[in-house]
Amino acid sequence: MPFPYKRVLVVGATSDIGEALASRFVAEGANVMAVGRRKENLVAFVHKHGKDKATAVPFDITELDKIPNFATNIASTYGDLDCILMNSGNQRGVDFSKPDTVNMDVIETEYKTNYLSFLALTKAFLPFLQNKQQESALML
């Protein structure tokens, strides 16, 4: 079955699974907006696939207060956006048997990246997707 979406926003497209999925979407004929913190990786993604198939969108999803404006800007610039994939994530080892080694800042960043940002992105993009006349998707 062919991939049904034509313009896809991939959050967490700078490496690993996110980059691989973004590349696969391009191969399936979609125009991909690659989102991530690492500009050099985004530039490399666009260079690899071409500006006609890929766009770099530098953004740090842990800046939760900036997500509403980010979503508004994306939706107004790319009205044909029909699919959003949220793939960002990180995981650090934490050993609570050694409490002195536990860094709460690291845990907070992980929580923001893996959970709170997805909730904020969903809240920000859902009205846009709900108002679309054609099929759209929000994938986690």
Side-chain angles (χ1 to χ4, degrees):
M1 176 197 310
F3 187 69
Y5 304 106
K6 301 301 176 206
R7 184 171 298 273
V8 182
L9 182 78
V10 179
V11 178
T14 58
S15 64
D16 303 321
I17 294 170
E19 182 183 3
L21 285 169
S23 292
R24 178 61 186 253
F25 294 152
V26 169
E28 292 288 331
N31 186 293
V32 171
M33 293 171 288
V35 178
R37 290 177 292 112
R38 292 174 282 185
K39 286 183 182 181
E40 66 279 2
N41 292 17
L42 295 172
V43 169
F45 182 84
V46 172
H47 181 73
K48 177 180 177 181
H49 295 290
K51 291 181 181 181
D52 59 323
K53 297 177 184 174
T55 304
V57 184
F59 186 70
D60 183 349
I61 63 169
T62 65
E63 295 179 6
L64 301 177
D65 60 322
K66 294 182 180 178
I67 287 177
N69 285 338
F70 168 74
T72 298
N73 290 338
I74 292 292
S76 64
T77 303
Y78 303 98
D80 59 342
L81 172 64
D82 57 358
C83 180
I84 299 168
L85 171 68
M86 292 185 237
N87 179 73
S88 296
N90 62 44
Q91 186 172 12
R92 308 289 185 258
V94 179
D95 185 352
F96 279 97
S97 70
K98 300 175 186 169
D100 292 343
T101 68
V102 175
N103 183 334
M104 291 305 295
D105 291 336
V106 170
I107 293 170
E108 180 181 346
T109 299
E110 186 175 316
Y111 190 70
K112 276 185 187 178
T113 303
N114 299 351
Y115 183 68
L116 292 176
S117 66
F118 283 33
L119 294 175
L121 287 162
T122 299
K123 181 178 186 267
F125 276 110
L126 205 51
F128 168 75
L129 294 175
Q130 287 176 322
N131 287 325
K132 296 193 78 58
Q133 297 302 310
Q134 75 272 16
E135 181 180 343
S136 60
L138 177 65
M139 298 186 274
L140 304 173

